Amino acid sequence: MGSIVSQSSTRASTRVSAQTFTQESLKSLDQVIHGNSLKTMQELPSDSIDVIFADPPYNLQLQAVGTLRRPNDSLVQGVDEEWDAFDNFGAYDQFSKLWLNEARRLLKKDGTLWVIGSYHNIFRVGALVQDLGYWILNDIIWRKSNPMPNFRGRRFTNAHETLLWCARDKKSQYYFNYDAMKAMNDDTQMRSDWLLPLCTGGERLKNKEGAKAHPTQKPESLLHRVILASTKPGDIILDPFFGTGTTGAVAKKLNRHFIGIEQDADYVDLARERLAAIEPIHDHNVYAIPTKREEPRIPFGSLIEQGLLQPGDLLFGPGKRYTAKIRADGTLVTSEFRGSIHQVGAQVQGSPTCNGWQFWNFEVAGQLMPIDILRQKVRSQIQAS
Protein backbone atom coordinates (compact mmCIF):
# COMPACT_ATOMS: atom_id res chain seq x y z
CA MET A 1 0.00 0.00 0.00
CA GLY A 2 1.29 3.47 -0.68
CA SER A 3 1.10 4.51 -4.33
CA ILE A 4 -2.04 6.28 -5.44
CA VAL A 5 -3.23 6.12 -9.02
CA SER A 6 -4.52 9.40 -10.36
CA GLN A 7 -8.31 9.26 -10.35
CA SER A 8 -8.43 11.29 -13.57
CA SER A 9 -5.89 9.16 -15.47
CA THR A 10 -6.85 7.90 -18.90
CA ARG A 11 -5.65 4.89 -20.80
CA ALA A 12 -2.45 5.26 -22.76
CA SER A 13 -3.04 5.49 -26.48
CA THR A 14 -0.44 2.85 -27.25
CA ARG A 15 0.68 -0.36 -25.55
CA VAL A 16 4.08 -1.94 -25.33
CA SER A 17 4.06 -5.20 -27.25
CA ALA A 18 4.92 -8.52 -25.61
CA GLN A 19 7.93 -8.82 -27.92
CA THR A 20 9.22 -5.41 -26.85
CA PHE A 21 8.71 -6.34 -23.20
CA THR A 22 10.79 -9.50 -23.69
CA GLN A 23 13.61 -7.53 -25.27
CA GLU A 24 13.45 -4.79 -22.65
CA SER A 25 12.68 -7.03 -19.67
CA LEU A 26 15.88 -6.22 -17.78
CA LYS A 27 14.74 -2.61 -17.54
CA SER A 28 11.64 -3.48 -15.52
CA LEU A 29 12.18 -6.93 -14.00
CA ASP A 30 13.41 -6.94 -10.42
CA GLN A 31 13.22 -3.15 -10.29
CA VAL A 32 11.37 -0.60 -8.20
CA ILE A 33 9.80 1.85 -10.63
CA HIS A 34 9.23 5.33 -9.22
CA GLY A 35 6.05 6.57 -10.81
CA ASN A 36 2.29 6.66 -11.05
CA SER A 37 0.85 3.17 -10.78
CA LEU A 38 -1.77 3.35 -13.50
CA LYS A 39 0.45 5.14 -16.01
CA THR A 40 3.28 2.68 -15.43
CA MET A 41 0.96 -0.31 -15.74
CA GLN A 42 -0.27 1.07 -19.07
CA GLU A 43 3.28 0.94 -20.39
CA LEU A 44 3.59 -2.80 -19.72
CA PRO A 45 2.46 -5.35 -22.33
CA SER A 46 -0.73 -7.36 -22.15
CA ASP A 47 -0.58 -10.99 -21.00
CA SER A 48 2.86 -10.58 -19.44
CA ILE A 49 2.42 -11.04 -15.67
CA ASP A 50 1.96 -14.34 -13.81
CA VAL A 51 0.63 -12.98 -10.52
CA ILE A 52 -0.33 -9.54 -9.22
CA PHE A 53 -0.28 -8.80 -5.51
CA ALA A 54 -2.05 -5.55 -4.76
CA ASP A 55 -2.19 -3.78 -1.40
CA PRO A 56 -4.12 -0.68 -2.48
CA PRO A 57 -5.16 2.26 -0.28
CA TYR A 58 -7.94 1.16 2.07
CA ASN A 59 -9.72 4.54 2.16
CA LEU A 60 -9.51 4.55 5.96
CA GLN A 61 -10.02 8.31 6.15
CA LEU A 62 -13.54 8.39 4.71
CA GLN A 63 -15.00 9.17 8.13
CA ALA A 64 -12.47 10.85 10.39
CA VAL A 65 -12.76 9.88 14.06
CA GLY A 66 -10.41 12.48 15.46
CA THR A 67 -7.39 11.93 17.66
CA LEU A 68 -7.17 8.46 19.16
CA ARG A 69 -5.21 7.76 22.34
CA ARG A 70 -4.34 4.66 24.33
CA PRO A 71 -5.34 4.26 28.00
CA ASN A 72 -1.87 5.58 28.97
CA ASP A 73 -2.65 8.73 26.90
CA SER A 74 -0.07 7.93 24.20
CA LEU A 75 -1.15 8.80 20.67
CA VAL A 76 -2.21 5.99 18.32
CA GLN A 77 -0.53 6.41 14.95
CA GLY A 78 -3.19 5.95 12.28
CA VAL A 79 -3.12 6.25 8.53
CA ASP A 80 -3.28 9.92 7.59
CA GLU A 81 -1.17 9.89 4.42
CA GLU A 82 -2.42 11.72 1.36
CA TRP A 83 -2.36 8.55 -0.73
CA ASP A 84 -5.16 7.07 1.40
CA ALA A 85 -7.50 10.05 1.06
CA PHE A 86 -10.52 9.97 -1.28
CA ASP A 87 -13.40 12.43 -1.47
CA ASN A 88 -16.14 9.81 -1.38
CA PHE A 89 -17.03 6.22 -2.24
CA GLY A 90 -17.55 7.09 -5.87
CA ALA A 91 -14.01 8.44 -6.20
CA TYR A 92 -12.61 5.33 -4.56
CA ASP A 93 -14.65 3.04 -6.82
CA GLN A 94 -13.40 4.86 -9.93
CA PHE A 95 -9.81 4.56 -8.72
CA SER A 96 -10.29 0.84 -8.03
CA LYS A 97 -11.96 0.14 -11.36
CA LEU A 98 -9.10 1.76 -13.29
CA TRP A 99 -6.29 -0.21 -11.72
CA LEU A 100 -8.21 -3.50 -11.55
CA ASN A 101 -9.09 -3.28 -15.24
CA GLU A 102 -5.47 -2.58 -16.15
CA ALA A 103 -4.29 -5.41 -13.91
CA ARG A 104 -6.54 -7.88 -15.71
CA ARG A 105 -5.10 -6.79 -19.06
CA LEU A 106 -1.57 -7.43 -17.79
CA LEU A 107 -2.24 -10.90 -16.42
CA LYS A 108 -1.48 -13.95 -18.53
CA LYS A 109 -4.57 -16.00 -19.38
CA ASP A 110 -3.86 -18.35 -16.48
CA GLY A 111 -2.63 -15.63 -14.13
CA THR A 112 -4.08 -14.69 -10.75
CA LEU A 113 -4.66 -11.56 -8.71
CA TRP A 114 -4.30 -11.17 -4.97
CA VAL A 115 -5.80 -8.04 -3.41
CA ILE A 116 -5.86 -7.32 0.30
CA GLY A 117 -8.11 -4.96 2.23
CA SER A 118 -10.15 -4.31 5.36
CA TYR A 119 -13.86 -3.82 5.93
CA HIS A 120 -13.40 -0.22 4.74
CA ASN A 121 -12.78 -1.24 1.13
CA ILE A 122 -12.69 -4.98 0.44
CA PHE A 123 -16.40 -5.38 -0.28
CA ARG A 124 -16.34 -2.56 -2.81
CA VAL A 125 -13.23 -4.03 -4.42
CA GLY A 126 -14.78 -7.51 -4.42
CA ALA A 127 -17.85 -6.31 -6.34
CA LEU A 128 -15.65 -4.63 -8.94
CA VAL A 129 -13.49 -7.74 -9.28
CA GLN A 130 -16.56 -9.75 -10.25
CA ASP A 131 -17.96 -7.01 -12.49
CA LEU A 132 -14.69 -6.87 -14.45
CA GLY A 133 -14.64 -10.60 -15.19
CA TYR A 134 -12.23 -12.00 -12.60
CA TRP A 135 -13.15 -15.32 -11.00
CA ILE A 136 -12.81 -15.38 -7.20
CA LEU A 137 -11.05 -18.55 -6.03
CA ASN A 138 -10.83 -17.87 -2.29
CA ASP A 139 -11.30 -15.17 0.27
CA ILE A 140 -8.50 -15.58 2.77
CA ILE A 141 -8.84 -14.28 6.31
CA TRP A 142 -5.52 -13.03 7.67
CA ARG A 143 -6.18 -13.37 11.38
CA LYS A 144 -3.67 -11.25 13.27
CA SER A 145 -2.13 -12.88 16.29
CA ASN A 146 -1.26 -9.46 17.76
CA PRO A 147 -3.96 -7.00 16.59
CA MET A 148 -4.21 -3.43 17.79
CA PRO A 149 -6.88 -3.24 20.55
CA ASN A 150 -10.04 -1.20 20.11
CA PHE A 151 -9.12 1.57 22.52
CA ARG A 152 -12.52 3.27 22.51
CA GLY A 153 -14.29 0.08 23.50
CA ARG A 154 -17.15 0.83 21.16
CA ARG A 155 -16.60 -2.02 18.68
CA PHE A 156 -15.06 -5.47 18.45
CA THR A 157 -11.29 -5.49 18.06
CA ASN A 158 -10.58 -5.45 14.35
CA ALA A 159 -8.32 -8.50 14.27
CA HIS A 160 -8.26 -9.50 10.61
CA GLU A 161 -7.88 -8.42 7.02
CA THR A 162 -9.23 -10.13 3.90
CA LEU A 163 -7.35 -11.25 0.81
CA LEU A 164 -9.22 -12.07 -2.39
CA TRP A 165 -7.47 -14.58 -4.64
CA CYS A 166 -8.86 -14.37 -8.16
CA ALA A 167 -8.19 -16.04 -11.48
CA ARG A 168 -8.07 -13.82 -14.56
CA ASP A 169 -11.31 -15.44 -15.66
CA LYS A 170 -13.46 -18.48 -15.01
CA LYS A 171 -11.61 -20.66 -17.54
CA SER A 172 -8.09 -19.87 -16.32
CA GLN A 173 -5.91 -22.88 -15.57
CA TYR A 174 -4.40 -21.15 -12.56
CA TYR A 175 -1.42 -22.49 -10.60
CA PHE A 176 -1.84 -23.61 -7.00
CA ASN A 177 0.82 -25.53 -5.09
CA TYR A 178 -1.50 -27.50 -2.84
CA ASP A 179 1.28 -29.84 -1.74
CA ALA A 180 3.57 -27.01 -0.60
CA MET A 181 0.77 -25.46 1.42
CA LYS A 182 -0.06 -28.80 3.00
CA ALA A 183 3.61 -29.40 3.87
CA MET A 184 3.86 -25.96 5.48
CA ASN A 185 0.83 -26.80 7.61
CA ASP A 186 2.26 -29.97 9.21
CA ASP A 187 0.88 -32.19 6.42
CA THR A 188 -2.66 -30.92 6.97
CA GLN A 189 -4.67 -29.22 4.22
CA MET A 190 -4.11 -25.46 4.42
CA ARG A 191 -7.25 -23.57 5.44
CA SER A 192 -8.47 -20.17 4.31
CA ASP A 193 -7.88 -18.57 7.72
CA TRP A 194 -4.24 -17.70 8.31
CA LEU A 195 -2.99 -16.87 11.80
CA LEU A 196 0.04 -14.63 11.30
CA PRO A 197 1.46 -11.72 13.33
CA LEU A 198 1.61 -8.09 12.29
CA CYS A 199 4.89 -6.69 11.05
CA THR A 200 6.79 -5.72 14.19
CA GLY A 201 10.26 -5.66 15.72
CA GLY A 202 13.31 -5.75 13.49
CA GLU A 203 11.22 -6.42 10.39
CA ARG A 204 9.43 -3.08 10.74
CA LEU A 205 11.25 -0.44 8.71
CA LYS A 206 11.96 2.88 10.43
CA ASN A 207 12.52 6.34 8.99
CA LYS A 208 15.34 8.69 9.95
CA GLU A 209 13.38 9.85 13.00
CA GLY A 210 12.99 6.28 14.25
CA ALA A 211 9.24 6.16 13.57
CA LYS A 212 7.45 3.57 11.43
CA ALA A 213 8.42 4.27 7.84
CA HIS A 214 5.13 2.97 6.44
CA PRO A 215 1.87 2.75 8.41
CA THR A 216 0.65 -0.47 6.80
CA GLN A 217 3.82 -2.50 6.08
CA LYS A 218 2.81 -6.14 5.60
CA PRO A 219 4.73 -9.00 7.25
CA GLU A 220 6.98 -11.11 5.05
CA SER A 221 5.29 -14.24 6.41
CA LEU A 222 2.07 -13.24 4.65
CA LEU A 223 3.76 -12.69 1.29
CA HIS A 224 5.80 -15.88 1.67
CA ARG A 225 2.60 -17.90 1.83
CA VAL A 226 0.97 -16.02 -1.06
CA ILE A 227 3.97 -16.33 -3.36
CA LEU A 228 4.76 -19.96 -2.55
CA ALA A 229 1.13 -20.96 -3.06
CA SER A 230 0.52 -19.31 -6.42
CA THR A 231 3.83 -18.92 -8.27
CA LYS A 232 6.74 -20.96 -9.56
CA PRO A 233 10.43 -20.03 -9.52
CA GLY A 234 11.07 -17.55 -12.31
CA ASP A 235 7.49 -16.26 -12.43
CA ILE A 236 6.87 -12.52 -12.69
CA ILE A 237 5.00 -10.86 -9.81
CA LEU A 238 3.72 -7.32 -10.16
CA ASP A 239 2.98 -5.16 -7.12
CA PRO A 240 1.43 -1.86 -8.29
CA PHE A 241 1.38 -0.40 -4.73
CA PHE A 242 4.87 -1.44 -3.72
CA GLY A 243 5.28 0.62 -0.56
CA THR A 244 8.52 -0.32 1.17
CA GLY A 245 8.94 -3.49 -0.87
CA THR A 246 7.72 -6.51 1.07
CA THR A 247 6.51 -8.26 -2.10
CA GLY A 248 9.86 -7.73 -3.82
CA ALA A 249 11.85 -8.81 -0.78
CA VAL A 250 10.03 -12.14 -0.51
CA ALA A 251 10.02 -12.66 -4.29
CA LYS A 252 13.79 -12.18 -4.38
CA LYS A 253 14.29 -14.63 -1.50
CA LEU A 254 12.11 -17.22 -3.28
CA ASN A 255 13.78 -16.83 -6.71
CA ARG A 256 10.84 -15.09 -8.38
CA HIS A 257 10.97 -11.96 -10.53
CA PHE A 258 9.12 -8.85 -9.43
CA ILE A 259 8.10 -5.47 -10.74
CA GLY A 260 7.33 -2.87 -8.09
CA ILE A 261 5.59 0.42 -8.80
CA GLU A 262 5.61 3.13 -6.14
CA GLN A 263 4.83 6.85 -6.30
CA ASP A 264 6.26 7.98 -2.95
CA ALA A 265 9.98 8.78 -3.31
CA ASP A 266 10.77 7.99 0.34
CA TYR A 267 9.17 4.53 0.06
CA VAL A 268 11.09 3.91 -3.17
CA ASP A 269 14.41 4.68 -1.47
CA LEU A 270 13.60 2.39 1.47
CA ALA A 271 12.47 -0.43 -0.81
CA ARG A 272 15.60 -0.23 -2.97
CA GLU A 273 17.83 -0.23 0.11
CA ARG A 274 15.95 -3.20 1.52
CA LEU A 275 16.19 -5.19 -1.69
CA ALA A 276 19.88 -4.45 -2.21
CA ALA A 277 20.64 -6.10 1.15
CA ILE A 278 19.04 -9.43 0.13
CA GLU A 279 21.33 -12.09 -1.27
CA PRO A 280 19.24 -14.89 -2.82
CA ILE A 281 20.31 -18.52 -2.57
CA HIS A 282 21.31 -19.87 -5.97
CA ASP A 283 20.22 -23.46 -5.45
CA HIS A 284 17.49 -24.82 -7.71
CA ASN A 285 16.63 -27.62 -5.27
CA VAL A 286 15.75 -25.08 -2.56
CA TYR A 287 13.10 -23.37 -4.69
CA ALA A 288 11.83 -26.10 -7.00
CA ILE A 289 8.73 -27.39 -5.22
CA PRO A 290 6.64 -29.14 -7.87
CA THR A 291 3.08 -30.20 -7.26
CA LYS A 292 2.41 -33.91 -7.38
CA ARG A 293 0.87 -33.45 -10.83
CA GLU A 294 4.16 -31.99 -12.06
CA GLU A 295 6.42 -34.66 -10.59
CA PRO A 296 7.89 -37.31 -12.90
CA ARG A 297 5.51 -40.18 -13.56
CA ILE A 298 6.86 -43.36 -11.99
CA PRO A 299 5.27 -46.62 -13.20
CA PHE A 300 4.92 -49.28 -10.52
CA GLY A 301 6.93 -51.64 -12.72
CA SER A 302 10.00 -49.41 -12.37
CA LEU A 303 10.18 -50.32 -8.66
CA ILE A 304 10.61 -53.94 -9.71
CA GLU A 305 13.16 -53.06 -12.40
CA GLN A 306 15.26 -51.23 -9.82
CA GLY A 307 15.04 -54.07 -7.32
CA LEU A 308 13.08 -52.15 -4.69
CA LEU A 309 10.42 -54.87 -4.88
CA GLN A 310 10.69 -58.39 -6.29
CA PRO A 311 8.32 -60.57 -8.34
CA GLY A 312 6.48 -62.79 -5.88
CA ASP A 313 6.58 -60.25 -3.03
CA LEU A 314 3.30 -59.70 -1.22
CA LEU A 315 1.53 -56.37 -0.89
CA PHE A 316 -1.07 -55.71 1.78
CA GLY A 317 -4.10 -53.46 2.07
CA PRO A 318 -4.76 -51.51 5.29
CA GLY A 319 -4.61 -53.77 8.33
CA LYS A 320 -3.66 -56.71 6.05
CA ARG A 321 -7.32 -57.16 5.14
CA TYR A 322 -6.28 -57.69 1.52
CA THR A 323 -3.26 -59.42 0.00
CA ALA A 324 -1.88 -59.40 -3.55
CA LYS A 325 1.20 -60.86 -5.18
CA ILE A 326 3.53 -58.87 -7.45
CA ARG A 327 4.05 -60.23 -10.97
CA ALA A 328 7.17 -59.69 -13.05
CA ASP A 329 5.43 -57.19 -15.35
CA GLY A 330 4.37 -54.91 -12.49
CA THR A 331 0.78 -56.12 -12.25
CA LEU A 332 -0.81 -57.66 -9.15
CA VAL A 333 -2.71 -60.90 -8.81
CA THR A 334 -5.10 -62.21 -6.16
CA SER A 335 -7.20 -65.35 -6.06
CA GLU A 336 -9.89 -63.47 -7.99
CA PHE A 337 -8.36 -60.47 -9.74
CA ARG A 338 -5.35 -59.31 -11.66
CA GLY A 339 -4.36 -55.93 -13.06
CA SER A 340 -2.58 -52.73 -12.09
CA ILE A 341 -2.10 -51.64 -8.48
CA HIS A 342 -5.07 -49.30 -8.95
CA GLN A 343 -7.36 -51.81 -10.66
CA VAL A 344 -6.77 -54.60 -8.15
CA GLY A 345 -7.05 -52.19 -5.23
CA ALA A 346 -10.45 -51.08 -6.49
CA GLN A 347 -11.62 -54.63 -7.27
CA VAL A 348 -10.84 -56.12 -3.85
CA GLN A 349 -12.76 -53.29 -2.18
CA GLY A 350 -15.65 -53.33 -4.61
CA SER A 351 -14.91 -49.66 -5.29
CA PRO A 352 -15.00 -47.84 -8.65
CA THR A 353 -11.54 -46.28 -8.11
CA CYS A 354 -8.49 -46.67 -5.93
CA ASN A 355 -5.15 -44.90 -5.53
CA GLY A 356 -2.95 -47.98 -5.40
CA TRP A 357 0.08 -46.00 -4.27
CA GLN A 358 -1.68 -45.13 -1.03
CA PHE A 359 -3.70 -48.35 -0.66
CA TRP A 360 -0.97 -51.00 -0.99
CA ASN A 361 1.78 -51.54 1.57
CA PHE A 362 4.94 -53.63 1.74
CA GLU A 363 6.22 -55.16 4.98
CA VAL A 364 9.53 -54.23 6.60
CA ALA A 365 10.50 -55.82 9.93
CA GLY A 366 6.84 -56.45 10.72
CA GLN A 367 5.78 -52.89 9.87
CA LEU A 368 3.56 -51.96 6.92
CA MET A 369 4.90 -49.14 4.75
CA PRO A 370 3.04 -47.57 1.78
CA ILE A 371 4.59 -48.32 -1.60
CA ASP A 372 4.43 -44.58 -2.30
CA ILE A 373 7.59 -44.26 -0.18
CA LEU A 374 9.44 -46.26 -2.82
CA ARG A 375 8.01 -44.10 -5.61
CA GLN A 376 9.25 -40.97 -3.85
CA LYS A 377 12.69 -42.52 -3.53
CA VAL A 378 12.84 -43.08 -7.29
CA ARG A 379 11.60 -39.55 -7.94
CA SER A 380 14.27 -38.07 -5.68
CA GLN A 381 16.96 -39.94 -7.58
CA ILE A 382 15.62 -38.61 -10.89
CA GLN A 383 15.38 -35.03 -9.66
CA ALA A 384 18.86 -35.14 -8.13
CA SER A 385 20.47 -36.38 -11.34
Side-chain angles (χ1 to χ4, degrees), residues 42 108 144 166 200 231 242-243 271 278 284 310 334 338:
Q42 290 171 340
K108 295 177 181 178
K144 302 170 184 177
C166 316
T200 57
T231 68
F242 202 58
I278 297 172
H284 174 75
Q310 301 292 332
T334 71
R338 66 179 179 180

PDB file of all heavy atoms in Angstrom, residues 42 108 144 166 200 231 242-243 271 278 284 310 334 338:
ATOM      1  N   GLN A  42       0.130   0.920 -17.680  1.00  0.00           N
ATOM      2  CA  GLN A  42      -0.275   1.066 -19.068  1.00  0.00           C
ATOM      3  C   GLN A  42       0.892   0.910 -20.038  1.00  0.00           C
ATOM      4  O   GLN A  42       0.700   0.637 -21.214  1.00  0.00           O
ATOM      5  CB  GLN A  42      -0.945   2.430 -19.267  1.00  0.00           C
ATOM      6  CG  GLN A  42      -2.304   2.534 -18.604  1.00  0.00           C
ATOM      7  CD  GLN A  42      -2.861   3.943 -18.614  1.00  0.00           C
ATOM      8  OE1 GLN A  42      -2.124   4.909 -18.774  1.00  0.00           O
ATOM      9  NE2 GLN A  42      -4.171   4.063 -18.451  1.00  0.00           N
ATOM     10  N   LYS A 108      -1.418 -12.874 -17.546  1.00  0.00           N
ATOM     11  CA  LYS A 108      -1.485 -13.952 -18.530  1.00  0.00           C
ATOM     12  C   LYS A 108      -2.844 -14.646 -18.388  1.00  0.00           C
ATOM     13  O   LYS A 108      -3.513 -14.518 -17.357  1.00  0.00           O
ATOM     14  CB  LYS A 108      -0.352 -14.943 -18.297  1.00  0.00           C
ATOM     15  CG  LYS A 108       1.037 -14.344 -18.518  1.00  0.00           C
ATOM     16  CD  LYS A 108       2.139 -15.355 -18.210  1.00  0.00           C
ATOM     17  CE  LYS A 108       3.515 -14.737 -18.397  1.00  0.00           C
ATOM     18  NZ  LYS A 108       4.600 -15.696 -18.054  1.00  0.00           N
ATOM     19  N   LYS A 144      -4.881 -11.785  12.650  1.00  0.00           N
ATOM     20  CA  LYS A 144      -3.670 -11.247  13.265  1.00  0.00           C
ATOM     21  C   LYS A 144      -3.514 -11.786  14.684  1.00  0.00           C
ATOM     22  O   LYS A 144      -4.426 -11.663  15.504  1.00  0.00           O
ATOM     23  CB  LYS A 144      -3.731  -9.723  13.269  1.00  0.00           C
ATOM     24  CG  LYS A 144      -3.894  -9.128  11.872  1.00  0.00           C
ATOM     25  CD  LYS A 144      -4.188  -7.636  11.921  1.00  0.00           C
ATOM     26  CE  LYS A 144      -4.432  -7.088  10.533  1.00  0.00           C
ATOM     27  NZ  LYS A 144      -4.789  -5.649  10.543  1.00  0.00           N
ATOM     28  N   CYS A 166      -7.981 -14.336  -6.981  1.00  0.00           N
ATOM     29  CA  CYS A 166      -8.862 -14.374  -8.155  1.00  0.00           C
ATOM     30  C   CYS A 166      -8.097 -14.823  -9.396  1.00  0.00           C
ATOM     31  O   CYS A 166      -6.978 -14.361  -9.653  1.00  0.00           O
ATOM     32  CB  CYS A 166      -9.438 -12.992  -8.433  1.00  0.00           C
ATOM     33  SG  CYS A 166     -10.031 -12.113  -6.987  1.00  0.00           S
ATOM     34  N   THR A 200       6.290  -6.412  13.006  1.00  0.00           N
ATOM     35  CA  THR A 200       6.789  -5.718  14.194  1.00  0.00           C
ATOM     36  C   THR A 200       8.289  -5.954  14.329  1.00  0.00           C
ATOM     37  O   THR A 200       8.910  -6.651  13.513  1.00  0.00           O
ATOM     38  CB  THR A 200       6.092  -6.236  15.473  1.00  0.00           C
ATOM     39  OG1 THR A 200       6.302  -7.657  15.583  1.00  0.00           O
ATOM     40  CG2 THR A 200       4.595  -5.955  15.436  1.00  0.00           C
ATOM     41  N   THR A 231       2.822 -19.171  -7.241  1.00  0.00           N
ATOM     42  CA  THR A 231       3.829 -18.916  -8.270  1.00  0.00           C
ATOM     43  C   THR A 231       4.877 -20.014  -8.288  1.00  0.00           C
ATOM     44  O   THR A 231       5.038 -20.761  -7.320  1.00  0.00           O
ATOM     45  CB  THR A 231       4.542 -17.572  -8.053  1.00  0.00           C
ATOM     46  OG1 THR A 231       5.355 -17.654  -6.860  1.00  0.00           O
ATOM     47  CG2 THR A 231       3.562 -16.429  -7.917  1.00  0.00           C
ATOM     48  N   PHE A 242       3.713  -0.718  -4.251  1.00  0.00           N
ATOM     49  CA  PHE A 242       4.875  -1.443  -3.721  1.00  0.00           C
ATOM     50  C   PHE A 242       5.241  -1.043  -2.304  1.00  0.00           C
ATOM     51  O   PHE A 242       5.823  -1.831  -1.562  1.00  0.00           O
ATOM     52  CB  PHE A 242       6.057  -1.206  -4.654  1.00  0.00           C
ATOM     53  CG  PHE A 242       7.134  -2.247  -4.581  1.00  0.00           C
ATOM     54  CD1 PHE A 242       6.869  -3.579  -4.827  1.00  0.00           C
ATOM     55  CD2 PHE A 242       8.438  -1.884  -4.279  1.00  0.00           C
ATOM     56  CE1 PHE A 242       7.871  -4.537  -4.783  1.00  0.00           C
ATOM     57  CE2 PHE A 242       9.457  -2.832  -4.234  1.00  0.00           C
ATOM     58  CZ  PHE A 242       9.173  -4.160  -4.489  1.00  0.00           C
ATOM     59  N   GLY A 243       4.934   0.193  -1.910  1.00  0.00           N
ATOM     60  CA  GLY A 243       5.282   0.624  -0.562  1.00  0.00           C
ATOM     61  C   GLY A 243       6.769   0.481  -0.305  1.00  0.00           C
ATOM     62  O   GLY A 243       7.611   0.900  -1.097  1.00  0.00           O
ATOM     63  N   ALA A 271      12.637   0.864  -0.151  1.00  0.00           N
ATOM     64  CA  ALA A 271      12.473  -0.431  -0.812  1.00  0.00           C
ATOM     65  C   ALA A 271      13.750  -0.841  -1.530  1.00  0.00           C
ATOM     66  O   ALA A 271      14.183  -2.002  -1.454  1.00  0.00           O
ATOM     67  CB  ALA A 271      11.304  -0.369  -1.789  1.00  0.00           C
ATOM     68  N   ILE A 278      19.446  -8.021   0.197  1.00  0.00           N
ATOM     69  CA  ILE A 278      19.040  -9.427   0.134  1.00  0.00           C
ATOM     70  C   ILE A 278      19.910 -10.175  -0.857  1.00  0.00           C
ATOM     71  O   ILE A 278      20.018  -9.787  -2.021  1.00  0.00           O
ATOM     72  CB  ILE A 278      17.557  -9.557  -0.271  1.00  0.00           C
ATOM     73  CG1 ILE A 278      16.668  -8.913   0.789  1.00  0.00           C
ATOM     74  CG2 ILE A 278      17.173 -11.029  -0.466  1.00  0.00           C
ATOM     75  CD1 ILE A 278      15.212  -8.832   0.393  1.00  0.00           C
ATOM     76  N   HIS A 284      18.766 -24.459  -7.108  1.00  0.00           N
ATOM     77  CA  HIS A 284      17.490 -24.819  -7.707  1.00  0.00           C
ATOM     78  C   HIS A 284      16.685 -25.738  -6.799  1.00  0.00           C
ATOM     79  O   HIS A 284      15.453 -25.624  -6.713  1.00  0.00           O
ATOM     80  CB  HIS A 284      17.726 -25.493  -9.059  1.00  0.00           C
ATOM     81  CG  HIS A 284      16.478 -26.025  -9.697  1.00  0.00           C
ATOM     82  ND1 HIS A 284      15.542 -25.193 -10.293  1.00  0.00           N
ATOM     83  CD2 HIS A 284      15.994 -27.292  -9.815  1.00  0.00           C
ATOM     84  CE1 HIS A 284      14.549 -25.932 -10.755  1.00  0.00           C
ATOM     85  NE2 HIS A 284      14.785 -27.193 -10.481  1.00  0.00           N
ATOM     86  N   GLN A 310      10.353 -57.228  -5.477  1.00  0.00           N
ATOM     87  CA  GLN A 310      10.687 -58.391  -6.286  1.00  0.00           C
ATOM     88  C   GLN A 310       9.415 -59.097  -6.751  1.00  0.00           C
ATOM     89  O   GLN A 310       8.391 -59.083  -6.046  1.00  0.00           O
ATOM     90  CB  GLN A 310      11.529 -59.390  -5.461  1.00  0.00           C
ATOM     91  CG  GLN A 310      12.836 -58.839  -4.931  1.00  0.00           C
ATOM     92  CD  GLN A 310      13.835 -58.564  -6.044  1.00  0.00           C
ATOM     93  OE1 GLN A 310      13.802 -59.221  -7.100  1.00  0.00           O
ATOM     94  NE2 GLN A 310      14.718 -57.604  -5.813  1.00  0.00           N
ATOM     95  N   THR A 334      -4.499 -61.607  -7.342  1.00  0.00           N
ATOM     96  CA  THR A 334      -5.095 -62.207  -6.156  1.00  0.00           C
ATOM     97  C   THR A 334      -5.788 -63.488  -6.601  1.00  0.00           C
ATOM     98  O   THR A 334      -5.711 -63.888  -7.760  1.00  0.00           O
ATOM     99  CB  THR A 334      -6.122 -61.256  -5.503  1.00  0.00           C
ATOM    100  OG1 THR A 334      -7.274 -61.170  -6.339  1.00  0.00           O
ATOM    101  CG2 THR A 334      -5.536 -59.869  -5.285  1.00  0.00           C
ATOM    102  N   ARG A 338      -6.696 -59.685 -11.261  1.00  0.00           N
ATOM    103  CA  ARG A 338      -5.355 -59.311 -11.659  1.00  0.00           C
ATOM    104  C   ARG A 338      -5.442 -57.997 -12.452  1.00  0.00           C
ATOM    105  O   ARG A 338      -6.446 -57.703 -13.093  1.00  0.00           O
ATOM    106  CB  ARG A 338      -4.677 -60.386 -12.491  1.00  0.00           C
ATOM    107  CG  ARG A 338      -5.308 -60.643 -13.852  1.00  0.00           C
ATOM    108  CD  ARG A 338      -4.519 -61.712 -14.589  1.00  0.00           C
ATOM    109  NE  ARG A 338      -5.116 -61.992 -15.900  1.00  0.00           N
ATOM    110  CZ  ARG A 338      -4.625 -62.884 -16.753  1.00  0.00           C
ATOM    111  NH1 ARG A 338      -3.585 -63.608 -16.423  1.00  0.00           N
ATOM    112  NH2 ARG A 338      -5.212 -63.058 -17.916  1.00  0.00           N
TER     113      ARG A 338
END
